[in-house]
Coordinates of all heavy atoms in Angstrom, one line a residue:
I146 N -30.3 114.7 -39.7 CA -29.7 114.3 -38.4 C -30.6 113.3 -37.7 O -30.2 112.2 -37.2 CB -29.3 115.4 -37.6 CG1 -28.2 116.2 -38.2 CG2 -28.8 114.9 -36.2 CD1 -27.8 117.5 -37.5
W147 N -31.9 113.7 -37.5 CA -32.9 112.8 -36.9 C -32.9 111.5 -37.7 O -32.9 110.4 -37.0 CB -34.3 113.5 -37.0 CG -35.3 112.5 -36.5 CD1 -35.7 112.3 -35.2 CD2 -36.1 111.6 -37.3 NE1 -36.7 111.3 -35.2 CE2 -36.9 110.8 -36.5 CE3 -36.2 111.4 -38.7 CZ2 -37.8 109.9 -36.9 CZ3 -37.1 110.4 -39.1 CH2 -37.9 109.7 -38.3
A148 N -33.0 111.5 -38.9 CA -33.1 110.3 -39.8 C -31.9 109.4 -39.5 O -32.0 108.2 -39.4 CB -33.3 110.6 -41.2
E149 N -30.7 109.9 -39.6 CA -29.5 109.2 -39.4 C -29.5 108.4 -38.1 O -29.1 107.3 -37.9 CB -28.3 110.0 -39.6 CG -28.1 110.4 -41.1 CD -27.0 111.5 -41.3 OE1 -26.5 112.0 -40.1 OE2 -26.6 111.8 -42.4
E150 N -29.9 109.2 -37.0 CA -29.9 108.6 -35.7 C -31.1 107.5 -35.6 O -30.8 106.5 -34.9 CB -30.2 109.7 -34.6 CG -29.0 110.7 -34.5 CD -29.4 111.8 -33.5 OE1 -30.5 111.9 -33.1 OE2 -28.4 112.5 -33.2
M151 N -32.2 107.7 -36.2 CA -33.2 106.7 -36.1 C -32.8 105.5 -37.0 O -33.1 104.3 -36.5 CB -34.5 107.3 -36.7 CG -35.7 106.3 -36.8 SD -36.2 105.7 -35.2 CE -37.4 107.0 -34.7
I152 N -32.2 105.6 -38.0 CA -31.8 104.5 -38.8 C -30.8 103.6 -38.1 O -30.9 102.4 -38.2 CB -31.2 105.0 -40.2 CG1 -32.3 105.6 -41.1 CG2 -30.4 103.8 -40.9 CD1 -31.8 106.2 -42.4
K153 N -30.0 104.2 -37.3 CA -29.1 103.4 -36.5 C -29.8 102.5 -35.5 O -29.4 101.4 -35.1 CB -28.2 104.3 -35.7 CG -27.1 105.0 -36.6 CD -26.3 106.0 -35.7 CE -25.3 106.7 -36.6 NZ -24.6 107.8 -35.8
K154 N -31.0 103.0 -35.0 CA -31.8 102.2 -34.0 C -32.6 101.1 -34.7 O -33.0 100.1 -34.0 CB -32.8 103.2 -33.3 CG -32.1 104.3 -32.6 CD -33.2 105.2 -32.0 CE -32.7 106.5 -31.4 NZ -33.7 107.4 -30.9
L155 N -32.9 101.3 -35.9 CA -33.9 100.2 -36.6 C -33.1 99.0 -37.0 O -32.0 99.1 -37.6 CB -34.5 100.9 -37.8 CG -35.3 102.2 -37.6 CD1 -35.8 102.8 -38.9 CD2 -36.6 101.9 -36.8
P156 N -33.7 97.9 -36.8 CA -33.1 96.6 -37.3 C -33.3 96.6 -38.8 O -34.1 97.3 -39.4 CB -34.0 95.6 -36.6 CG -35.3 96.2 -36.3 CD -35.0 97.7 -36.0
T157 N -32.5 95.7 -39.4 CA -32.5 95.6 -40.9 C -33.9 95.2 -41.4 O -34.3 95.7 -42.4 CB -31.5 94.5 -41.3 OG1 -30.2 94.9 -40.9 CG2 -31.4 94.4 -42.8
E158 N -34.6 94.4 -40.6 CA -35.9 94.0 -41.1 C -36.8 95.1 -41.3 O -37.6 95.3 -42.3 CB -36.5 92.9 -40.1 CG -37.9 92.4 -40.6 CD -38.5 91.5 -39.5 OE1 -37.9 91.3 -38.4 OE2 -39.6 91.1 -39.7
I159 N -36.9 96.1 -40.3 CA -37.7 97.2 -40.4 C -37.3 98.2 -41.5 O -38.1 98.7 -42.2 CB -37.7 98.0 -39.0 CG1 -38.4 97.1 -38.0 CG2 -38.5 99.3 -39.2 CD1 -39.9 96.7 -38.3
K160 N -36.0 98.4 -41.6 CA -35.5 99.3 -42.7 C -35.8 98.7 -44.0 O -36.3 99.5 -45.0 CB -34.0 99.4 -42.6 CG -33.5 100.2 -41.4 CD -32.0 100.5 -41.4 CE -31.2 99.4 -40.9 NZ -29.8 99.7 -40.6
D161 N -35.7 97.4 -44.2 CA -36.2 96.8 -45.5 C -37.7 96.9 -45.8 O -38.1 97.2 -46.9 CB -35.8 95.3 -45.5 CG -34.3 95.0 -45.6 OD1 -33.6 96.0 -45.9 OD2 -33.9 93.9 -45.3
K162 N -38.5 96.8 -44.7 CA -39.9 97.0 -44.9 C -40.2 98.5 -45.2 O -41.1 98.7 -46.0 CB -40.7 96.6 -43.6 CG -40.7 95.1 -43.3 CD -41.5 94.8 -42.1 CE -41.6 93.2 -41.9 NZ -42.3 93.0 -40.6
I163 N -39.6 99.4 -44.6 CA -39.8 100.8 -45.0 C -39.6 101.0 -46.5 O -40.4 101.7 -47.2 CB -38.9 101.7 -44.1 CG1 -39.3 101.7 -42.7 CG2 -38.9 103.1 -44.8 CD1 -38.4 102.5 -41.8
L164 N -38.5 100.5 -47.0 CA -38.2 100.6 -48.4 C -39.2 99.9 -49.3 O -39.6 100.3 -50.4 CB -36.8 100.2 -48.8 CG -35.7 101.0 -48.1 CD1 -34.3 100.5 -48.5 CD2 -35.7 102.5 -48.5
F165 N -39.6 98.7 -48.8 CA -40.6 97.9 -49.6 C -41.9 98.6 -49.7 O -42.5 98.7 -50.8 CB -40.7 96.5 -48.8 CG -41.8 95.7 -49.4 CD1 -41.6 95.0 -50.6 CD2 -43.0 95.5 -48.7 CE1 -42.6 94.2 -51.1 CE2 -44.0 94.7 -49.3 CZ -43.8 94.0 -50.5
Y166 N -42.4 99.1 -48.6 CA -43.7 99.8 -48.7 C -43.7 101.2 -49.3 O -44.6 101.6 -49.9 CB -44.3 99.9 -47.3 CG -44.7 98.6 -46.7 CD1 -44.2 98.1 -45.5 CD2 -45.7 97.8 -47.3 CE1 -44.6 96.8 -45.0 CE2 -46.1 96.6 -46.8 CZ -45.5 96.1 -45.6 OH -45.9 94.8 -45.2
A167 N -42.5 101.8 -49.2 CA -42.3 103.1 -49.8 C -42.5 103.0 -51.3 O -43.0 103.9 -52.0 CB -41.0 103.7 -49.5
N168 N -42.1 101.8 -51.9 CA -42.0 101.7 -53.3 C -43.5 101.8 -53.9 O -43.6 102.1 -55.1 CB -41.4 100.3 -53.7 CG -41.2 100.1 -55.2 OD1 -40.8 101.0 -55.9 ND2 -41.6 98.9 -55.6
V169 N -44.5 101.4 -53.2 CA -45.8 101.4 -53.8 C -46.8 102.4 -53.1 O -47.9 102.5 -53.4 CB -46.5 100.0 -53.6 CG1 -45.7 99.0 -54.5 CG2 -46.6 99.6 -52.2
T170 N -46.2 103.2 -52.2 CA -47.0 104.3 -51.5 C -46.6 105.7 -51.8 O -47.0 106.6 -51.0 CB -47.1 104.0 -50.0 OG1 -45.7 104.2 -49.5 CG2 -47.6 102.6 -49.7
S171 N -45.9 105.9 -52.9 CA -45.3 107.2 -53.1 C -44.5 107.7 -51.9 O -44.6 108.7 -51.4 CB -46.3 108.2 -53.5 OG -47.0 107.9 -54.7
N172 N -43.6 106.8 -51.3 CA -42.8 107.1 -50.1 C -43.7 107.5 -49.0 O -43.4 108.5 -48.3 CB -41.8 108.1 -50.5 CG -40.8 107.6 -51.4 OD1 -40.8 108.0 -52.6 ND2 -39.8 106.9 -51.1
F173 N -44.9 106.8 -48.8 CA -45.8 106.9 -47.7 C -46.7 108.2 -47.9 O -47.5 108.4 -47.0 CB -45.1 106.9 -46.4 CG -44.5 105.6 -46.0 CD1 -43.1 105.4 -46.3 CD2 -45.2 104.6 -45.5 CE1 -42.6 104.2 -46.0 CE2 -44.7 103.4 -45.2 CZ -43.4 103.1 -45.5
L174 N -46.5 109.0 -48.9 CA -47.4 110.1 -49.1 C -48.8 109.6 -49.4 O -49.8 110.3 -49.1 CB -46.8 111.0 -50.2 CG -45.5 111.7 -50.0 CD1 -45.1 112.6 -51.1 CD2 -45.5 112.5 -48.6
G175 N -48.9 108.5 -50.1 CA -50.3 108.0 -50.4 C -51.1 107.6 -49.2 O -52.3 107.8 -49.1
V176 N -50.3 107.1 -48.2 CA -51.0 106.7 -46.9 C -51.6 107.9 -46.2 O -52.6 107.8 -45.5 CB -50.0 105.9 -46.0 CG1 -50.8 105.3 -44.9 CG2 -49.3 104.9 -46.8
I177 N -51.0 109.1 -46.4 CA -51.5 110.3 -45.8 C -52.9 110.6 -46.2 O -53.6 111.3 -45.6 CB -50.5 111.5 -46.1 CG1 -49.2 111.3 -45.3 CG2 -51.2 112.9 -45.7 CD1 -48.2 112.3 -45.5
G178 N -53.3 110.1 -47.4 CA -54.6 110.3 -48.0 C -55.7 109.8 -47.1 O -56.9 110.2 -47.1
F179 N -55.4 108.8 -46.2 CA -56.4 108.4 -45.2 C -56.9 109.4 -44.3 O -58.0 109.4 -43.8 CB -55.8 107.2 -44.4 CG -55.7 106.0 -45.0 CD1 -54.4 105.3 -45.2 CD2 -56.8 105.3 -45.6 CE1 -54.3 104.1 -45.8 CE2 -56.6 104.1 -46.2 CZ -55.3 103.5 -46.4
L180 N -56.1 110.5 -44.2 CA -56.5 111.6 -43.3 C -57.5 112.5 -44.0 O -58.0 113.5 -43.3 CB -55.3 112.5 -42.9 CG -54.4 111.8 -41.8 CD1 -53.1 112.5 -41.7 CD2 -55.1 111.7 -40.5
E181 N -57.9 112.2 -45.2 CA -59.1 112.9 -45.7 C -60.4 112.6 -45.0 O -61.4 113.3 -45.1 CB -59.3 112.7 -47.2 CG -58.1 113.2 -48.1 CD -58.3 112.9 -49.5 OE1 -59.4 112.3 -49.9 OE2 -57.3 113.1 -50.3
N182 N -60.4 111.5 -44.3 CA -61.5 111.1 -43.4 C -61.4 111.8 -42.0 O -60.5 111.5 -41.3 CB -61.4 109.6 -43.2 CG -62.5 109.0 -42.3 OD1 -63.4 109.8 -41.8 ND2 -62.6 107.7 -42.1

Side-chain angles (χ1 to χ4, degrees):
I146 294 175
W147 170 86
E149 289 172 352
E150 292 175 351
M151 177 61 86
I152 287 170
K153 290 177 184 176
K154 301 175 187 176
L155 297 175
T157 300
E158 181 185 3
I159 294 296
K160 288 186 282 192
D161 289 345
K162 285 181 179 179
I163 289 172
L164 296 179
F165 173 74
Y166 290 120
N168 186 46
V169 294
T170 62
S171 299
N172 296 100
F173 294 94
L174 296 182
V176 191
I177 290 176
F179 286 119
L180 284 169
E181 292 179 6
N182 180 359

